Amino acid sequence: MQIQVETDNHIEGRQALTEYVQGVIDDAVDKYRDHITHVEAHLGDLNSGEKSGSNDMRCLLEARVTGVKNIAVSHQAESLHLAIDGAADKLQHALASSVGKLQDQQRRAAPTGQLTADLLRDDPDAV
């Protein structure tokens, strides 16, 4: 699984931030790692650094999951770390739902009449 981190021009400390984002995403998606090929994190300051306020930092996470559409979640918070953590929680819940539905569809798609046909063929008293 590849994790890519993108930031806007108003975000500082990119290397340390990239390592933090990768760690948070690794923890959040660990259970679904086999289903994910790529995760992109887009970090930004919604007020362009001109002023600060509540909920002006945003983290958008997009996960490419095999067998389903891409999953995108975002979270806004007063700090970048809170935005990242919030988006990771949302991604974890979205993955649980999507992967769960995918696994349920796969279970239901299993052939149902094959076992019965095999039993009848092996039974000498069958018609």
Side-chain angles (χ1 to χ4, degrees), residues 21-99:
V21 171
Q22 289 174 340
V24 170
I25 291 173
D26 271 335
D27 289 345
V29 303
D30 187 50
K31 184 176 179 181
Y32 310 102
R33 184 173 302 281
D34 295 340
H35 300 280
I36 300 171
T37 59
H38 188 85
V39 177
E40 288 182 23
H42 301 275
L43 309 174
D45 184 349
L46 297 177
N47 291 338
S48 304
E50 295 172 6
K51 51 187 169 177
S52 63
S54 62
N55 297 334
D56 68 337
M57 296 296 191
R58 181 180 79 136
C59 177
L60 170 75
L61 298 177
E62 183 179 357
R64 289 177 176 80
V65 183
T66 55
V68 297
K69 292 181 179 180
N70 293 350
I71 297 173
V73 297
S74 68
H75 189 77
Q76 292 178 219
E78 59 204 34
S79 77
L80 209 44
H81 281 57
L82 290 175
I84 294 163
D85 293 342
D89 286 343
K90 289 180 180 181
L91 180 61
Q92 190 175 38
H93 291 293
L95 285 168
S97 177
S98 292
V99 171

Side-chain angles (χ1 to χ4, degrees), residues 116-127:
T116 304
D118 289 342
L119 290 174
L120 289 176
R121 187 178 22 218
D122 293 338
D123 185 2
D125 296 331
V127 182

